Amino acid sequence: MGEKARKLLVLYASQTGNSLDAAERIGREAERRGCAASIVSTDEFDASSLPHEEAVVFVVSTTGQGDSPDSFKAFWRFLLQRNLGKYWLQQVRYSVFGLGDSGYQKYNFVAKKLDKRLSDLGATTIIEKGLGDDQHPSGYEGTLDPWMLSLWNTLYQINPEYFPKGPDVMIPQDEVIDQPKYRILYHTQENWEPELLVESDIIQRARGMSPGKLFKDKSKPDCFLKMTRNEVLTKAGSTKDVRHFEFQFLSSTIEYEVGDVVELLPSQNPSAIDAFLERCDLDPESFITVGPRETENSGFCGEVITQVPIKLKTFVELTMDVTSASPRRYFFEVMSFYATAEHEKERLQYFASPEGRDDLYNYNQKERRSVLEVLEDFPSVQIPFDWLVQLVPPLKPRAFSISSSPLAHPAQVHLTVSIVSWITPYKRTRRGLCSSWLASLTPEQETSIPVWFHKGSLPAPPQSLPLILVGPGTGCAPFRGFIAERAIQAQSSPVAPVMFFFGCRNKDTDFLYRDFWESHARGGGMLSEEKGGGFYTAFSRDQPKKVYVQHKIREMSKKVWDLLCDGASIYVAGSSTKMPSDVMSALEEIVSKETGGSKEVASRWLKALEKAGRYNVEAWS
């Protein structure tokens, strides 16, 4: 064999799993070319040993408004230490691949700041950073494929020992099918009495074993909620179905604040779960434990609860998204290995190849084909369950901004949810898993819903703080809680004024919580002009020329500026596509106009506001 090839370290920071997926792909492609690769999460890597690495590829995602994944935060704090110096990484070659969404203002912010910091510490870049974009027709892979080819060629030029046979000589896919990273153990049934377990313990056990667990993801729900109200807010003729849901706590009550977020674990369609189990020839009644195989490159993190088995069907229901999420490209690669029909094998190998990437994207992601649908399209494939546990996308809790106030609605949680449905390019109707499940529930069913509470991007404001709120569509949800809370506070002590800008398509059909806002805008209410505030509406489709919230903000330029001068904080919530940047542009114009300064000065002024915690955005796609 000669001298052992050089080793590549792939460090990843992932919030939802995409960066892990990309990191594993880079590792697999390196090993296919004869270069050993180690794939490690940044929260499991000793940052002080970084100078001893020869070649490192970083794969990092950017979440929300430029936020880094939780698993990256301690690593990043270490890199920011002043005592590290500009020669600390002078022996290290590196490259960065970022995953982001160009619909957000701070597109790939984490990758960009990491790239600059590594360079400042003396590291040498192998190739220019790659920036994967969710908006690309093929998703982040549209950038990753050509970026990887460039990476292999440049590494080979630096040192041919990375790829002893050259960067283009690859082991055929059929020969490098790995062992799965997880091992399933089956247990005899007589020792287990699942009916004695509390529901939260079952959920904790299943999700604690799941490979889908990411950084410090709490397996056990904070509590359970029960729906008490399911009301349609939009009127007949609207293009949307937006609901107001009310819940009450079952057993324990969790304290939350306005602006907080609640995550719900949705239930999957029982008949689809049964169809998946039958298609994969799995025994739903068998008892299993799931644990990582001991391999150097497993990249596994999180607590593993393996001592008490769980029913296989329960594990699938609670951890594996077989009915709504589309599988990754590697799923098709592994399927090709297990296909017994030649035409299916060829098609799957094509889908898994760089040449087939766009066709796979059109077949899979664009159509949002579920794992079950893909398996049904390739009937000769019978994948072992340990591979399915690794490759089926994890069932993720869905996050929603809370639209109630614990002061105004004690022991309750309210949500404002748009029921997601769309038509695919092949004219198939798809529905959002969680929103359509919620819409189907009734209070009479008394369904227990597992939930987790956490802080969002909108800190609860003190009552003395003037507010400028911008919340078109369901972006109004958190501000319903803000206004309800401040109205209660106003009964006993002075409160600061609030301006609220709301927008929707049509006044008659889409005006969410109309009575609530209008009652607070009248007669000395929280949004009344007598109280120094105001309520401003933009109905985009009610006139020939579209009017959006940013137009109404510009119309109120003087009042907005005066409130900012009085120390107001700005809160923006809603769709991430264009709205947050359009609102920022309108505010830049106002600051520039009212101060007589340039656009650049205005932009710096708003950035300083953001840094001081007075400009907060919560956006979702």
Side-chain angles (χ1 to χ4, degrees):
M1 275 289 296
E3 192 179 332
K4 190 174 186 287
R6 287 298 213 281
K7 188 167 188 173
L8 188 67
L9 173 63
V10 184
L11 289 177
Y12 70 91
S14 193
Q15 193 72 18
T16 61
N18 286 336
S19 289
L20 168 58
D21 201 57
E24 288 181 334
R25 176 118 193 280
I26 291 166
R28 282 196 305 274
E29 292 295 329
E31 291 187 335
R32 252 182 208 147
R33 290 162 172 80
C35 175
S38 182
I39 301 148
V40 186
S41 176
T42 49
D43 64 320
E44 295 188 326
F45 180 76
D46 177 6
S48 67
S49 67
L50 200 55
H52 308 302
E53 298 294 336
E54 189 178 281
V56 188
V57 175
F58 291 88
V59 185
V60 292
S61 61
T62 298
T63 65
Q65 302 302 308
D67 301 325
S68 62
D70 293 335
S71 59
F72 185 69
K73 284 173 177 154
F75 182 85
W76 179 243
R77 276 196 302 275
F78 186 92
L79 290 190
L80 290 180
Q81 291 177 109
R82 288 188 181 161
N83 63 339
L84 296 180
K86 60 182 179 182
Y87 303 112
W88 187 60
L89 296 178
Q90 62 180 351
Q91 303 299 321
V92 180
R93 293 183 185 275
Y94 79 95
S95 209
V96 174
F97 188 82
L99 285 81
D101 183 330
S102 58
Y104 287 84
Q105 278 176 300
K106 292 189 175 177
Y107 168 57
N108 263 312
F109 184 66
V110 178
K112 291 171 185 174
K113 72 179 183 181
L114 173 63
D115 184 58
K116 182 178 186 309
R117 182 59 180 158
L118 293 168
S119 176
D120 291 346
L121 292 170
T124 307
T125 183
I126 302 166
I127 58 168
E128 177 68 20
K129 64 182 172 291
L131 300 178
D133 185 4
D134 271 356
Q135 303 282 340
H136 187 282
S138 298
Y140 71 80
E141 289 186 329
T143 311
L144 181 60
D145 283 342
W147 184 85
M148 275 197 298
L149 290 177
S150 176
L151 178 67
W152 310 141
N153 287 324
T154 310
L155 273 174
Y156 185 69
Q157 286 163 19
I158 291 167
N159 189 337
E161 288 177 13
Y162 280 109
F163 307 112
K165 295 182 179 178
D168 303 320
V169 178
M170 286 190 287
I171 304 162
Q173 284 179 10
D174 274 12
E175 293 173 30
V176 292
I177 191 80
D178 259 336
Q179 272 199 317
K181 289 192 299 185
Y182 299 90
R183 191 175 69 238
I184 315 297
L185 295 178
Y186 289 84
H187 302 264
T188 52
Q189 189 172 339
E190 58 264 18
N191 302 330
W192 313 113
E193 298 181 52
E195 64 275 3
L196 301 179
L197 292 170
V198 183
E199 190 174 0
S200 60
D201 291 338
I202 294 173
I203 292 170
Q204 180 181 22
R205 180 163 320 132
R207 296 183 70 77
M209 287 192 245
S210 166
K213 287 181 78 277
L214 289 161
F215 179 80
K216 288 185 182 166
D217 176 22
K218 288 200 312 192
S219 305
K220 189 168 187 171
D222 289 335
C223 66
F224 289 83
L225 297 178
K226 183 181 81 170
M227 183 183 285
T228 57
R229 191 170 176 196
N230 176 348
E231 177 192 347
V232 181
L233 293 175
T234 41
K235 303 287 189 290
S238 172
T239 56
K240 297 184 175 178
D241 174 3
V242 179
R243 305 287 178 104
H244 172 76
F245 296 119
E246 294 184 8
F247 306 89
Q248 68 184 37
F249 290 96
L250 287 171
S251 63
S252 58
T253 300
I254 299 294
E255 288 184 13
Y256 71 89
E257 293 185 295
V258 292
D260 284 357
V261 168
V262 67
E263 291 189 332
L264 281 64
L265 186 67
S267 287
Q268 303 184 76
N269 183 321
S271 59
I273 294 287
D274 290 340
F276 172 79
L277 294 169
E278 190 175 329
R279 166 65 184 83
C280 299
D281 197 21
L282 299 169
D283 175 9
E285 298 302 313
S286 59
F287 282 80
I288 60 167
T289 51
V290 179
R293 281 180 205 276
E294 295 308 314
T295 62
E296 187 189 349
N297 300 346
S298 70
F300 183 86
C301 66
E303 89 243 43
V304 189
I305 304 168
T306 54
Q307 65 276 30
V308 186
I310 192 165
K311 202 178 270 193
L312 186 147
K313 181 177 181 178
T314 305
F315 181 82
V316 171
E317 286 171 332
L318 292 174
T319 71
M320 298 167 68
D321 191 340
V322 300
T323 61
S324 76
S326 296
R328 315 263 190 205
R329 176 151 54 158
Y330 190 38
F331 187 76
F332 293 86
E333 193 174 313
V334 174
M335 279 179 75
S336 74
F337 185 78
Y338 289 102
T340 53
E342 199 53 42
H343 69 285
E344 289 184 17
K345 184 184 279 286
E346 284 174 12
R347 189 166 180 225
L348 289 162
Q349 286 175 338
Y350 170 68
F351 274 162
S353 70
E355 301 75 42
R357 187 190 68 216
D358 291 343
D359 285 337
L360 174 61
Y361 188 82
N362 289 331
Y363 164 79
N364 186 40
Q365 291 99 314
K366 260 195 158 177
E367 286 297 304
R368 273 294 281 277
R369 274 183 219 277
S370 68
V371 166
L372 177 58
E373 288 172 325
V374 170
L375 288 169
E376 286 172 341
D377 280 352
F378 296 90
S380 84
V381 175
Q382 201 64 44
I383 304 186
F385 187 50
D386 44 9
W387 269 118
L388 290 168
V389 165
Q390 177 180 329
L391 295 176
V392 171
L395 181 64
K396 295 173 186 167
R398 273 46 170 186
F400 297 97
S401 297
I402 296 173
S403 55
S404 51
S405 150
L407 206 59
H409 315 100
Q412 294 179 47
V413 177
H414 298 178
L415 298 180
T416 310
V417 178
S418 183
I419 311 307
V420 180
S421 73
W422 71 99
I423 306 291
T424 71
Y426 286 105
K427 303 288 182 277
R428 292 152 26 105
T429 301
R430 310 303 279 166
R431 290 185 173 81
L433 172 63
C434 190
S435 63
S436 57
W437 172 65
L438 284 173
S440 73
L441 297 180
T442 64
E444 294 72 36
Q445 290 168 312
E446 299 199 338
T447 303
S448 295
I449 303 168
V451 296
W452 294 259
F453 287 83
H454 60 83
K455 295 292 163 200
S457 311
L458 305 176
Q463 65 191 67
S464 58
L465 181 70
L467 299 174
I468 297 166
L469 310 176
V470 185
T474 54
C476 72
F479 306 138
R480 179 178 177 269
F482 280 31
I483 301 302
E485 179 141 309
R486 200 160 275 202
I488 299 284
Q489 291 165 338
Q491 293 170 9
S492 55
S493 54
V495 294
V498 183
M499 293 178 77
F500 177 39
F501 295 89
F502 172 78
C504 61
R505 289 188 165 202
N506 302 103
K507 182 177 183 178
D508 291 338
T509 57
D510 304 299
F511 197 166
L512 309 179
Y513 300 117
R514 177 177 183 171
D515 294 345
F516 176 81
W517 307 121
E518 289 184 342
S519 69
H520 282 289
R522 288 192 299 267
M526 273 320 311
L527 296 172
S528 63
E529 303 211 344
E530 303 100 284
K531 287 280 176 73
F535 176 53
Y536 311 95
T537 51
F539 303 111
S540 60
R541 304 295 200 274
D542 279 354
Q543 59 287 309
K545 193 177 179 187
K546 291 173 185 170
V547 176
Y548 296 110
V549 282
Q550 61 266 25
H551 300 123
K552 293 294 176 180
I553 291 168
R554 285 191 188 95
E555 281 176 22
M556 301 308 299
S557 172
K558 177 81 171 67
K559 188 164 183 175
V560 167
W561 175 246
D562 287 346
L563 211 54
L564 284 172
C565 291
D566 287 342
S569 278
I570 299 167
Y571 284 77
V572 182
S575 167
S576 65
T577 42
K578 280 177 88 258
M579 185 274 296
S581 54
D582 288 343
V583 168
M584 176 70 92
S585 297
L587 290 164
E588 278 175 3
E589 282 177 35
I590 289 172
V591 174
S592 176
K593 175 181 150 190
E594 299 296 336
T595 61
S598 67
K599 199 92 183 282
E600 290 68 35
V601 171
S603 177
R604 280 202 301 275
W605 192 88
L606 286 168
K607 279 196 169 59
L609 208 65
E610 196 175 346
K611 209 165 185 181
R614 288 178 52 207
Y615 195 120
N616 302 287
V617 180
E618 185 148 280
W620 49 85
S621 48

